[in-house]
Amino acid sequence: MLFRERKQIVICVAAGAMVTAFVLFRYLPLRQRIKVVRQKKAAQRLVISNASMEEVQIPVLKEQLLKLRQTVENYKVNIPAKNDFGVFLQQIADLMSKHNLREQVIAPGKEIVARGLTCIPVDMQCKGTLAQVFEFHKRMQKLDRLVRIEQIKLDNDNDFSGEVSMQTKVVIYYRPQSERG
């Protein structure tokens, strides 16, 4: 009987060892691999979902790109040769007069060369109603030259008569000597 009990114990220990070995060396590694595969699958689904959402934006981005290309297509036309500087100052003075702006001061600054463009800062001052100043700035933006408004300062007059003093800093651009045509 003792031999039989030992045999059953040995069989149980062997079966337990086999089950333990199966669990440790087969089941747990496979379970870990399945977990990794599921994580990768979830990540891929997220990437696919994001890509499909971004795909919807492609036509919108193409339209924006087309508009930007049209906007910058003829930028050289809006950046004239340097000899037009006097014409620009005259246009600004005429615009100010046309909008009944008083106490006009137009003072060009020192020429600066940056990134292949020549730029000249221009300080402008005048007085008028807010509507006149607003219309002046709208018209200035529609000039056939590139003008970047850097700063606008409006101050009410002391007696609150509806007049404002405007101080504006703009930068105008010219093409370099090698690009002038």
Side-chain angles (χ1 to χ4, degrees):
M1 202 59 146
L2 190 59
F3 179 69
R4 219 175 204 205
E5 288 177 8
R6 279 190 177 179
K7 195 175 185 183
Q8 284 181 343
I9 292 174
V10 169
I11 291 174
C12 286
V13 168
M18 286 176 35
V19 167
T20 303
F22 175 78
V23 167
L24 289 176
F25 298 113
R26 195 72 182 144
Y27 175 74
L28 291 178
L30 286 176
R31 187 171 173 209
Q32 185 63 28
R33 284 186 194 164
I34 289 172
K35 184 179 178 181
V36 168
V37 167
R38 285 182 179 156
Q39 288 173 344
K40 287 183 179 180
K41 193 174 179 181
Q44 286 177 345
R45 284 184 187 146
L46 182 63
V47 168
I48 290 170
S49 173
N50 287 342
S52 65
M53 286 190 303
E54 290 173 357
E55 182 181 27
V56 173
Q57 294 177 347
I58 289 176
V60 174
L61 292 174
K62 283 183 179 180
E63 185 178 327
Q64 288 176 350
L65 179 62
L66 181 63
K67 287 179 181 177
L68 284 174
R69 281 186 179 158
Q70 290 172 350
T71 300
V72 297
E73 191 172 68
N74 295 321
Y75 84 96
K76 284 186 180 181
V77 172
N78 293 328
I79 303 176
K82 185 168 177 109
N83 60 11
D84 286 345
F85 183 61
V87 172
F88 170 75
L89 293 179
Q90 186 60 48
Q91 285 176 328
I92 293 298
D94 291 345
L95 273 178
M96 285 182 172
S97 296
K98 183 177 180 179
H99 291 94
N100 300 318
L101 297 171
R102 298 176 320 285
E103 298 180 29
Q104 301 173 8
V105 176
I106 303 171
K110 187 175 179 183
E111 192 174 276
I112 302 167
V113 177
R115 293 186 185 178
L117 289 177
T118 304
C119 20
I120 298 178
V122 178
D123 292 329
M124 297 183 282
Q125 297 178 5
C126 62
K127 287 187 179 182
T129 65
L130 185 60
Q132 291 168 328
V133 170
F134 181 74
E135 283 300 317
F136 165 73
H137 278 282
K138 273 181 34 180
R139 289 285 180 96
M140 185 173 61
Q141 286 295 312
K142 291 180 181 179
L143 290 176
D144 57 351
R145 86 164 358 352
L146 183 62
V147 178
R148 185 180 76 205
I149 298 175
E150 290 196 339
Q151 183 180 27
I152 299 174
K153 181 180 176 187
L154 299 173
D155 291 318
N156 270 334
D157 58 350
N158 292 334
D159 59 356
F160 300 104
S161 65
E163 294 278 314
V164 293
S165 296
M166 176 204 74
Q167 294 177 343
T168 301
K169 293 183 182 205
V170 299
V171 176
I172 56 174
Y173 297 91
Y174 299 103
R175 285 181 276 153
Q177 189 71 30
S178 62
E179 289 187 25
R180 291 183 193 158

